[in-house]
Structures are given as structure tokens and as C-alpha cells.
């Protein structure tokens, strides 16, 4: 039976961004948080490395800003970078207040700070090699204690709900339809304010470090509702995922390289010094392309990450999760190198938002990996992602609270109409299209691109979207179908953005346009049903109309 829920704020997503925002709002409003699976199954839980922040007297805000700008290959928005970095310390202090147990120096009261690719200082605060789990556990524990936060596990958002008010020219977001996996019905969640915190879209690729939940749901829903998206061509491929037939998506944290691990060819030779003077500590785009180049040059299946020259005690203390997981596959990292390959890891583009997380659609906010804030530019620097989640969630919460009392209650939306659909007896169509989509995205829109490959991808995505739309309109929807539909939308946005960029910059590398343009431009896609009242795009933007 279809149900109707009403709250002040609806948060779609239960990771670091969504729960941080919910906790900041809970004292003043009632909040619903939708989690598409269990609370602890999102990308936050699996984040290993840590959170970048200026916490040491030897470090500075200027140094962190400069490192981020360099890693972003000239495309970061400096105001967004500075805003994020300037609020990094207070974000960490808030997490500590929530009970996050960050690793301390042996026998000392100071927190242990590590270094990762692109950083000029040790500024990564972490909880061993399971920082995401430590952060997520603390936030979940805090949320469960709040009477004003109602958590809905196994609820997958389908579409946003909008309404037009008398005498007001713009639509506003007033809720969402969500599929409850527990009863297989679609329910209505109404709210004054809706916040997208659904994470990224790396599941669009065949090989990814992300959990199954990273299907670009928030980006696709916002696009369908009339919001701009930007820089979707910049997909970060993490250089080091465990290569093993039974290891589905296990990331080997960049902190290993920060603590001295070497990347080696099958013959034991180091190769990163040939590609960059920073060697293993070069930014991720450089390291991922170097590995991809060597794998293709040699025809080998993987390269190797070796930290066995460090003492077993050091390895066990700093990387207990990686050590234990590798041992499950018969790899003792204290004695032998780890086989690794690049895998899709992070979506640097997303829904266009301002500093407060406000999208083009009135009363719809977006935070975290779902968004384009301008922080990451053409390549996200390691450990800036969780920082962005916390900083922008806090900023969005402040903005929402300032406006909430003036927002009228939304009209009651109609229930989801399933009267003209039937149960499918051909779900094989979903699984086949899912596999085909992820495979051609990996082959044609991966680490290295060409115009011809992108044209092939364009042809394939149009055919797939036609099949998906037909299936969606005739059959009762399922979780797999919802995610496939969203992934197809995101794939189209990535392909279109990649075609627009006639240069190689950061994470986007084209054999047809190998040089970097002297002018840095964002790629902003504008939907036909654009929800904004005034479209204002600065001179350093490239716009493609639908």
C-alpha cells in the first residue's frame, strides 16, 4: 500500500554529507533521511585514507589551497577552494565532537597526520586505514539518538516532486517518490526542503572502487527536474584497486604510497619516476594514466604496489584493514607486493550548486559528491572529498535554517500511479543493458579517450535510453531499473561533456586533443526544462544546450 510522509526536510542519502546536514538541522526541524540500502553501505563507509585539513603549525591554508589548485589543473574555482580549506579545521573539530576516533601518535596526544598524492604537507587526519567507517559509524550513532531524525533504510528515490505556486514564476521542489524495498511499493515523501546527498556515479563504469549504490541517482533526478550539471567528463580513476578475480571492489588506500610504497612492473622495476618527478606521490590522474600506459604497453593484467620494505609492525599498525583484506586472498603485504589496477573512483562534476548547496530548483539543495561546487576542478586532490561533504553540509544547514520558517507547506502530491503498468517477465533486458552500458563506458569513455570512441558511445547510449524508456513506461519499476535509468542519464551527460572538451586537462585525456587549452572553461550542460529564473554563466564557462 502506498504511504504518505511529511517532514520539514527530506534528505536523500545517508552518507557523511546527508547525516552531517541532518544532525545540524535536528534541533530545529524534523528530518527524514532516505538510505537506498542499509545505513552503512554507501561510499563513506568504504573511504580509507582520511580527511585533508590544516591542523599542523607547519602547514597553512595557503599551502592547502595552492596544492588543491595545482591538482585541479587550472579548473578549480579558487573561492570554493578557499572556502572549503578555511573551514577544514572546524569541520574536523565537529567530527571529533561527534565521537570520531582519529589515530593519534604513539604515546602522544597529537593526532597522526599522513601525506597523500598532490599534498605538500602531512595534513591527512585519519582513523587507521578505515576513516570512512569511523566517521560514518559516529554519525549514524548520533543520528539514531535524535528524536527529530527519522531514518528510512532500503528506500530508493525515484523522482523529485515539484509544484507551482500561485503568483510565483518558478517551480519549487516539494518532495520525492521513493521505492520501499521492504514492501515493493512507491511512497510519497513531502517536505519544505529537499536535499540530495546521493554520492557519485562511478558505477557507470565496469571497474570501480565504489559500492553498488554509486549509480548517480541524485545527478539524474536533478537533471530531469531542470537543474544544470557541470564538468561530468572529469571521472577520477583511482590508481590502485586490488586486482584479484574474487575481489570485487577493494580499494588500496593512497596512504600506502604516502607512507613509502612503490609502484612496480611485473619484473620488479619502479616506473613512476619516468612519468613525474613526484613519482608515486603525483596526483591521481597522472598515476592512473601511467599505470594504464604500462599495462597496455606490456600487455600485462596489472602492476604491483609494494610496501614490504617497511617493517611488519609499521604495516600492521597503519594498514590493518588492507593487510587483513589482502590476506583473505592469499597476499601477505608484509612480504610481497599487491597486484593493482585503476578503477573508477570519484565523480568530480555534478549538479551545479552555490556555496550553500542551493541548486537551480527552488528549495532543492545538493551536497557531497553529487555536486559541482568548483572545489575539485579537473582532478580531485586526495582526501578533499570527505572534507567537502562536511563543510558544505554545514553551510547548507545554516542556509536552510535561515529560510525554513518562511517556506510554506507544500501541497499534498498524488500517489504514484501504477495503474497502467504490469509485472515484467523479461528482467534479462535490465541485466543485459546494465552490463552493456558499463562495458562500453569503460572501453570508450575511460581513462584515455578519442573522438571516435566518444561517437560510438553516443550511438550506443541513444539506443539504450530508448530501450530503457520503453521498458520503464510499460512495466512495474524495480530497484535495478531505477538505477539503470539513472546510470544511462549520467552516461549521456558524461559523454556529452567529454565531446564538448576539445583539450586534455586533468582527468580528461584525449588522444585527438592532447594539449591543454590556454583558457580554462567549465563544461556546463543546461536541460531543456531549465529550472533557474536567470541563466548567468561567467566568461570561463562553456555551455551546451540540450
Amino acid at each position: 500500500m502506498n504511504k504518505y510522509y511529511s517532514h520539514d526536510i527530506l534528505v536523500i542519502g545517508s552518507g557523511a554529507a546527508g547525516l552531517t546536514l541532518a544532525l545540524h538541522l535536528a534541533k530545529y526541524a524534523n528530518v527524514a533521511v532516505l538510505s537506498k540500502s542499509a545505513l552503512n553501505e554507501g561510499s563513506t563507509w568504504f573511504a580509507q585514507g582520511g580527511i585533508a585539513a590544516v591542523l599542523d603549525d607547519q602547514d597553512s591554508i595557503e599551502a592547502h589551497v595552492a596544492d588543491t589548485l595545482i591538482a585541479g589543473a587550472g579548473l578549480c574555482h579558487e573561492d570554493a577552494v578557499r572556502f572549503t580549506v578555511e573551514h577544514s579545521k572546524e569541520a574536523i573539530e565537529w567530527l571529533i565532537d561527534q565521537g570520531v576516533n582519529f589515530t593519534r601518535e604513539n604515546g602522544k596526544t597529537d593526532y597522526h597526520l599522513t601525506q597523500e598524492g598532490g599534498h605538500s604537507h602531512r595534513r591527512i587526519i585519519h582513523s587507521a586505514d578505515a576513516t570512512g567507517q569511523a566517521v560514518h559509524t559516529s554519525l549514524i550513532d548520533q543520528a539514531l539518538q535524535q528524536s527529530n531524525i527519522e531514518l528510512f533504510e532500503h528506500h530508493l528515490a525515484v523522482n523529485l516532486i515539484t509544484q507551482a505556486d500561485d503568483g510565483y514564476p518558478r517551480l519549487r521542489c516539494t518532495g520525492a517518490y521513493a521505492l520501499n524495498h521492504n514492501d515493493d511499493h512507491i511512497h510519497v515523501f513531502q517536505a519544505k526542503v529537499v536535499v540530495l546527498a546521493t554520492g557519485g556515479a562511478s558505477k557507470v563504469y565496469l571497474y570501480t572502487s565504489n559500492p553498488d549504490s554509486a549509480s548517480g541517482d541524485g545527478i539524474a533526478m536533478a537533471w530531469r527536474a531542470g537543474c544544470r550539471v557541470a564538468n561530468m567528463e572529469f571521472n577520477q580513476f583511482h590508481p590502485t584497486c586490488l586486482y584479484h578475480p574474487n575481489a570485487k571492489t577493494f580499494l588500496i588506500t593512497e596512504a600506502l604510497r604516502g607512507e613509502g610504497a612503490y609502484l612496480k612492473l611485473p619484473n620488479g622495476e619502479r616506473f613512476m619516476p619516468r612519468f613525474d618527478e613526484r613519482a608515486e606521490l603525483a596526483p591521481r590522474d597522472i598515476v592512473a594514466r601511467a599505470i594504464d600506459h604500462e599495462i597496455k604497453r606490456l600487455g600485462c593484467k596489472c602492476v604491483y604496489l609494494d610496501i614490504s620494505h617497511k617493517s611488519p609492525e609499521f604495516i600492521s599498525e597503519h594498514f590493518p584493514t588492507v593487510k587483513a583484506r589482502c590476506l583473505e586472498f592469499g597476499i601477505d603485504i608484509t612480504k610481497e607486493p599487491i597486484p593493482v589496477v585503476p578503477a573508477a573512483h570519484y565523480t568530480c562534476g555534478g549538479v551545479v550548486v552555490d556555496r550553500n548547496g542551493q541548486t537551480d530548483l527552488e528549495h532543492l539543495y545538493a551536497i557531497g559528491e553529487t555536486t559541482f561546487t568548483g572545489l575539485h576542478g579537473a582532478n580531485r586532490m586526495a582526501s578533499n572529498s570527505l572534507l567537502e561533504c562536511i563543510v558544505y553540509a554545514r553551510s547548507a544547514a545554516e542556509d536552510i535554517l535561515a529560510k525554513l520558517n518562511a517556506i510554506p507547506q507544500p501541497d499534498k502530491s498524488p500517489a504514484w500511479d501504477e495503474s497502467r503498468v504490469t509485472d515484467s517477465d523479461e528482467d534479462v533486458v535490465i541485466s543485459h543493458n546494465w552490463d552493456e552500458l558499463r562495458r562500453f563506458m569503460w572501453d570508450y569513455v575511460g581513462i584515455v579517450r578519442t573522438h571516435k570512441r566518444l561517437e560510438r558511445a553516443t550511438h550506443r547510449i541513444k539506443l539504450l535510453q530508448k530501450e530503457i524508456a520503453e521498458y520503464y513506461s510499460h512495466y512495474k519499476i524495480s530497484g535495478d531499473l531505477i538505477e539503470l535509468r539513472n546510470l544511462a542519464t549520467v552516461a549521456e551527460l558524461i559523454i556529452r561533456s567529454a565531446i564538448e572538451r576539445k583539450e586534455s586537462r586533468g582527468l580528461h585525456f584525449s588522444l585527438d586533443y592532447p594539449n591543454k587549452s590556454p583558457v580554462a572553461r567549465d563544461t556546463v550542460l543546461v536541460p531543456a526544462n531549465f529550472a533557474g529564473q536567470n541563466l548567468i554563466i561567467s566568461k570561463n564557462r562553456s555551455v551546451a544546450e540540450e
Side-chain angles (χ1 to χ4, degrees):
M1 181 178 178
N2 300 105
K3 297 179 182 179
Y4 178 90
Y5 299 92
S6 180
H7 297 80
D8 293 321
I9 295 106
L10 171 64
V11 181
I12 305 175
S14 59
L19 290 180
T20 295
L21 181 131
L23 288 169
H24 278 80
L25 295 173
K27 292 181 181 179
Y28 313 97
N30 58 78
V31 185
V33 178
L34 303 188
S35 177
K36 69 188 295 185
S37 52
L39 289 174
N40 61 354
E41 291 187 10
S43 292
T44 295
W45 186 269
F46 296 98
Q48 295 178 13
I51 306 174
V54 179
L55 304 170
D56 191 290
D57 291 340
Q58 303 302 313
D59 197 4
S60 69
I61 288 174
E62 293 303 321
H64 191 170
V65 168
D67 291 345
T68 302
L69 293 176
I70 291 170
L75 208 58
C76 297
H77 294 201
E78 187 170 350
D79 57 342
V81 175
R82 192 167 295 279
F83 171 75
T84 306
V85 173
E86 286 176 347
H87 290 84
S88 63
K89 185 175 182 179
E90 65 191 49
I92 298 300
E93 290 172 343
W94 181 79
L95 287 174
I96 293 171
D97 289 342
Q98 305 312 302
V100 179
N101 185 25
F102 291 111
T103 297
R104 297 179 183 270
E105 297 276 15
N106 287 334
K108 299 181 180 179
T109 57
D110 294 336
Y111 290 103
H112 179 265
L113 303 178
T114 190
Q115 188 172 358
E116 294 180 345
H119 292 274
S120 59
H121 290 77
R122 284 183 171 268
R123 66 167 67 99
I124 314 301
I125 190 169
H126 61 101
S127 183
D129 60 348
T131 305
Q133 184 174 331
V135 169
H136 209 178
T137 298
S138 295
L139 296 182
I140 290 171
D141 289 345
Q142 291 292 333
L144 289 171
Q145 297 175 34
Q146 302 294 323
S147 59
N148 259 6
I149 297 178
E150 193 170 359
L151 300 167
F152 294 84
E153 291 186 292
H154 306 289
H155 280 69
L156 173 56
V158 181
N159 272 333
L160 297 173
I161 299 170
T162 60
Q163 77 173 54
D165 297 315
D166 292 339
Y168 191 69
R170 293 180 63 184
L171 288 172
R172 65 182 174 111
C173 189
T174 58
Y177 293 106
L179 173 66
N180 181 353
H181 287 300
N182 298 312
D183 63 17
D184 207 29
H185 285 288
I186 295 177
H187 305 305
V188 178
F189 286 82
Q190 209 89 47
K192 290 182 177 181
V193 172
V194 178
V195 183
L196 297 172
T198 57
S202 288
K203 205 66 183 177
V204 76
Y205 287 101
L206 183 62
Y207 301 112
T208 175
S209 66
N210 287 192
D212 289 341
S213 57
S215 51
D217 304 324
I219 298 171
M221 286 190 293
W223 174 258
R224 290 195 293 267
C227 297
R228 290 172 296 162
V229 301
N231 286 8
M232 289 297 292
E233 69 270 36
F234 296 116
N235 315 102
Q236 187 174 79
F237 291 83
H238 196 286
T240 54
C241 254
L242 177 62
Y243 178 77
H244 191 280
N246 297 326
K248 187 178 180 183
T249 55
F250 184 66
L251 179 73
I252 304 298
T253 174
E254 188 161 337
L256 265 81
R257 286 180 281 132
E259 295 296 336
Y262 298 130
L263 280 164
K264 297 181 177 180
L265 299 176
N267 65 2
E269 174 193 349
R270 284 183 68 193
F271 60 90
M272 276 310 303
R274 289 193 278 108
F275 290 89
D276 193 281
E277 62 182 11
R278 292 163 291 187
E280 282 80 6
L281 289 179
R284 288 178 177 176
D285 60 326
I286 295 173
V287 180
R289 278 200 302 274
I291 295 174
D292 182 69
H293 173 82
E294 291 300 302
I295 287 175
K296 289 176 178 175
R297 179 178 72 87
L298 297 174
C300 56
K301 295 181 178 179
C302 64
V303 295
Y304 295 86
L305 185 65
D306 191 358
I307 198 169
S308 63
H309 52 279
K310 294 283 187 175
S311 71
E313 294 77 17
F314 177 89
I315 294 170
S316 297
E317 178 186 351
H318 288 272
F319 306 109
T321 304
V322 174
K323 179 185 175 184
R325 184 63 169 161
C326 287
L327 278 175
E328 293 177 15
F329 301 105
I331 304 166
D332 185 350
I333 70 172
T334 67
K335 299 178 181 178
E336 58 189 320
I338 308 165
V340 294
V341 291
H345 181 62
Y346 192 86
T347 307
C348 288
V351 182
V352 174
V353 296
D354 65 15
R355 185 174 292 184
N356 298 315
Q358 173 69 56
T359 71
D360 293 320
L361 180 58
E362 197 83 7
H363 304 157
L364 175 67
Y365 289 73
I367 50 178
E369 192 178 351
T370 303
T371 66
F372 167 77
T373 63
L375 170 63
H376 304 306
N379 181 26
R380 176 180 70 88
M381 190 167 69
S383 291
N384 271 351
S385 53
L386 284 175
L387 176 63
E388 181 185 41
C389 287
I390 308 303
V391 169
Y392 276 84
R394 286 161 58 88
S395 179
E398 185 177 338
D399 192 64
I400 290 169
L401 287 175
K403 300 174 180 177
L404 190 62
N405 289 337
I407 300 175
Q409 288 290 342
D411 298 335
K412 188 171 182 177
S413 296
W416 184 264
D417 183 9
E418 296 181 341
S419 60
R420 290 174 290 181
V421 296
T422 61
D423 290 324
S424 169
D425 58 358
E426 292 188 356
D427 281 356
V428 67
V429 174
I430 297 176
S431 61
H432 176 82
N433 285 353
W434 180 287
D435 291 341
E436 181 179 353
L437 171 66
R438 298 178 67 210
R439 185 168 293 279
F440 80 66
M441 285 297 291
W442 181 264
D443 291 339
Y444 300 151
V445 202
I447 296 173
V448 177
R449 299 161 179 174
T450 67
H451 186 72
K452 191 171 184 179
R453 291 174 190 172
L454 294 175
E455 284 185 330
R456 290 190 186 121
T458 300
H459 177 68
R460 288 307 309 146
I461 196 61
K462 287 180 179 178
L463 293 176
L464 277 181
Q465 285 183 315
K466 184 177 180 181
E467 290 182 13
I468 293 166
E470 182 179 352
Y471 195 95
Y472 183 84
S473 63
H474 287 90
Y475 299 108
K476 188 175 181 180
I477 65 174
S478 64
D480 286 343
L481 178 58
I482 294 169
E483 290 185 332
L484 174 62
R485 179 178 180 235
N486 290 336
L487 281 175
T489 297
V490 169
E492 180 201 358
L493 297 174
I494 292 172
I495 296 164
R496 287 177 54 186
S497 299
I499 290 174
E500 282 288 309
R501 187 162 294 280
K502 309 297 185 186
E503 64 165 347
S504 288
R505 182 185 297 271
L507 300 167
H508 174 80
F509 186 82
S510 171
L511 293 176
D512 295 314
Y513 304 97
N515 299 318
K516 183 190 293 185
S517 170
V519 179
R521 293 185 176 91
D522 294 324
T523 305
V524 182
L525 303 183
V526 185
N529 60 332
F530 177 60
Q533 192 170 20
N534 297 302
L535 177 57
I536 302 174
I537 298 177
S538 64
K539 292 180 180 178
N540 72 329
R541 302 290 198 275
S542 169
V543 183
E545 298 282 355
E546 183 180 42

